[in-house]
């Protein structure tokens, strides 16, 4: 990602003016169910390595480590990572936070992680770089590994007085989910989501409604929740 984009996120993690719940201690609402899914699928937490991409201040990483999973949280905001390390000190034996630019080769070997968390992260990466990010996720996941995707669906923002443009083939430049000048964003249609992850198998895919308060407004979005598997 460009240095300018990185600077924008550094400022956001310092000021927290654009969004609020991404900085709480609660995990994303789909992460507890994903942890349950992993256990029900036969994964033993202490033997399961999870990478949490774009982890921010670590809310999902810390939750998973508290559940006993071995977690690597990554972000390209040094401010966010510093806060995450403080927050995660109590479970640091199961948790590490590392600086990673998702648009460059990730510093992990092939077939290294059992699962990956992508909670409203890859949708903020411009189109060509986003496809590289998905390819790197595929590379570092083990065969049979699980990729949790959680991201805004196309044309579903229903905040009164605010319109989020539909995204078909081009990234949407602004929406209510981040400061308007901040970062290109992708809202997937169903066909686009399937196409973007066509190297994976679909374990489950559907939508839920999610409410939030961002930029001083109450917002409600339709969110994709999908679990993709790397083929055996």
């Amino acid at each position: 990602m460009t240095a300018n984009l990185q600077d924008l996120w550094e400022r956001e993690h310092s000021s927290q003016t654009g969004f609020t719940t991404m900085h709480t201690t609660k995990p994303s609402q789909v992460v507890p169910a994903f942890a349950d899914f992993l256990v029900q699928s036969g994964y033993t937490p202490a033997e399961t390595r999870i990478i949490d991409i774009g982890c921010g201040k670590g809310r999902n990483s810390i939750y998973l480590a508290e559940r006993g999973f071995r977690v690597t949280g990554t972000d390209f905001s040094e401010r966010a990572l510093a806060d995450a390390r403080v927050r995660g000190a109590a479970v640091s034996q199961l948790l590490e936070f590392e600086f990673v630019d998702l648009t460059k080769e990730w510093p992990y070997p092939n077939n290294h992680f059992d699962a990956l968390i992508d909670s409203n992260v890859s949708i903020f990466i411009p189109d060509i770089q986003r496809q590289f990010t998905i390819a790197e996720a595929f590379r570092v996941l083990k065969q049979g590994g699980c990729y949790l995707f959680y991201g805004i669906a196309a044309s579903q923002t229903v905040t009164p007085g605010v319109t989020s443009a539909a995204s078909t083939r081009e990234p949407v430049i602004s929406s209510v989910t981040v400061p308007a000048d901040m970062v290109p964003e992708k809202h997937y249609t169903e066909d686009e989501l399937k196409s973007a992850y066509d190297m994976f198998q679909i374990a489950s895919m559907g939508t839920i409604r999610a409410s939030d308060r961002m930029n001083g407004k109450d917002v409600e979005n339709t969110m994709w929740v999908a679990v993709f598997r790397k083929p055996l």
Side-chain angles (χ1 to χ4, degrees), residues 18-22 29 120 124 150 152 156-164 174-179 185 187 208-223:
F19 42 82
T20 56
T21 60
M22 291 183 183
Q29 65 187 85
N120 274 321
F124 295 136
Y150 182 56
I152 304 169
Q156 295 295 333
T157 302
V158 295
T159 307
V162 178
T163 300
S164 183
S174 64
S175 81
V176 295
T177 59
V178 293
E185 180 179 335
H187 297 175
I208 62 172
R209 298 295 283 176
S211 299
D212 215 330
R213 185 166 182 81
M214 300 176 183
N215 296 330
K217 298 183 176 73
D218 292 322
V219 299
E220 186 174 327
N221 294 311
T222 296
M223 307 291 295

Side-chain angles (χ1 to χ4, degrees), residues 54-104:
C55 66
K57 296 180 186 294
R59 60 179 183 149
N60 291 325
S61 296
I62 293 167
Y63 170 82
L64 291 165
E66 289 173 341
R67 290 279 303 261
F69 293 95
R70 307 192 68 83
V71 186
T72 299
T74 74
D75 207 284
F76 75 165
S77 167
E78 295 285 10
R79 171 58 187 269
L81 291 169
D83 288 348
R85 291 181 182 111
V86 172
R87 289 183 175 191
V91 285
S92 60
Q93 73 278 8
L94 295 172
L95 182 61
E96 58 186 355
F97 290 107
E98 298 182 343
F99 178 94
V100 175
D101 183 339
L102 298 175
T103 66
K104 299 177 181 178

Side-chain angles (χ1 to χ4, degrees), residues 192-229:
E192 288 175 331
L193 187 59
K194 290 178 178 178
S195 177
Y197 290 88
D198 62 359
M199 71 283 284
F200 290 89
Q201 298 171 339
I202 299 173
S204 63
M205 193 170 87
T207 59
I208 62 172
R209 298 295 283 176
S211 299
D212 215 330
R213 185 166 182 81
M214 300 176 183
N215 296 330
K217 298 183 176 73
D218 292 322
V219 299
E220 186 174 327
N221 294 311
T222 296
M223 307 291 295
W224 285 115
V225 184
V227 177
F228 302 110
R229 282 188 182 274

